[in-house]
Amino acid sequence: MSQDRMAKSISGLVLLGGLVVIATAWGFQLIGGYTPCELCLEQRVPYYVGLPLTALALVLMAMGRSGLALLTLLGVAAVFAYGSGLGIYQAGAEWEFWQGPTDCGGGGAAPGSATSLLQSLQSTRLVSCTEASWRMFGLSFAGWNAVASAGLAGLALLAALLLKRQGNAVKVEA
């Protein structure tokens, strides 16, 4: 298999893997009833940015624009590395390795009357960014996101390196 095809396959894996991760997060929220905290919601942003960029990289590769695809994949790797850092930060705060954000809690009251504010407070479930609501094999949602995001960043970087090697091979042959 050529390095170009491997880069496309790995990029497709980044796209598919990222879609699975973000769908799982939404599934736990909508089906499982887990309310995400503000930091959990912030950890979704790299998926909302990284997945369209990955799709763009795939389109660029299909068009033969390997240089732009390489730059895009480097951006994807940086976005998911940032997401992994957010996950590490929250997981570390959950394990009390360091202090987490002090203003982090889920939900909020809509502006209105004092009565609607009280009703909203009674029905709103506050979620702390420093308390894990679920763990599997010792990792919380944030911990698993750190692992998944790091894996996606690594795969995007690998795809970019394959494109770079492909570009260098073409230059040497020319």
Side-chain angles (χ1 to χ4, degrees):
M1 180 183 287
S2 73
Q3 292 179 359
D4 183 53
R5 280 189 60 180
M6 284 182 63
K8 287 177 185 172
S9 295
I10 292 170
S11 297
L13 185 59
V14 171
L15 185 62
L16 181 63
L19 287 170
V20 167
V21 171
I22 195 65
T24 301
W26 276 99
F28 271 102
Q29 179 181 346
L30 299 175
I31 299 167
Y34 287 89
T35 304
C37 68
E38 290 177 35
L39 198 50
C40 293
L41 294 173
E42 190 174 334
Q43 288 176 67
R44 293 180 184 184
V45 173
Y47 292 90
Y48 302 146
V49 174
L51 294 177
L53 285 176
T54 304
L56 175 62
L58 284 165
V59 169
L60 290 168
M61 282 186 265
M63 294 172 52
R65 306 291 308 259
S66 295
L68 286 175
L70 185 151
L71 290 174
T72 304
L73 286 169
L74 290 175
V76 169
V79 165
F80 282 118
Y82 169 76
S84 183
L86 283 175
I88 290 168
Y89 169 68
Q90 183 173 0
E94 290 169 348
W95 284 105
E96 298 180 359
F97 292 149
W98 46 74
Q99 184 175 353
T102 56
D103 62 344
C104 191
S113 69
T115 304
S116 67
L117 175 63
L118 287 174
Q119 288 173 345
S120 176
L121 285 174
Q122 290 172 348
S123 65
T124 299
R125 184 174 153 223
L126 294 179
V127 181
S128 172
C129 292
T130 58
E131 294 175 19
S133 59
W134 174 89
R135 289 191 194 275
M136 184 173 76
F137 305 122
L139 292 179
S140 64
F141 288 125
W144 282 110
N145 180 57
V147 171
S149 292
L152 294 171
L155 287 172
L157 187 59
L158 177 60
L161 291 174
L162 287 169
L163 287 178
K164 176 69 173 153
R165 287 180 66 193
Q166 178 74 20
N168 286 342
V170 170
K171 289 179 186 176
V172 170
E173 292 173 11

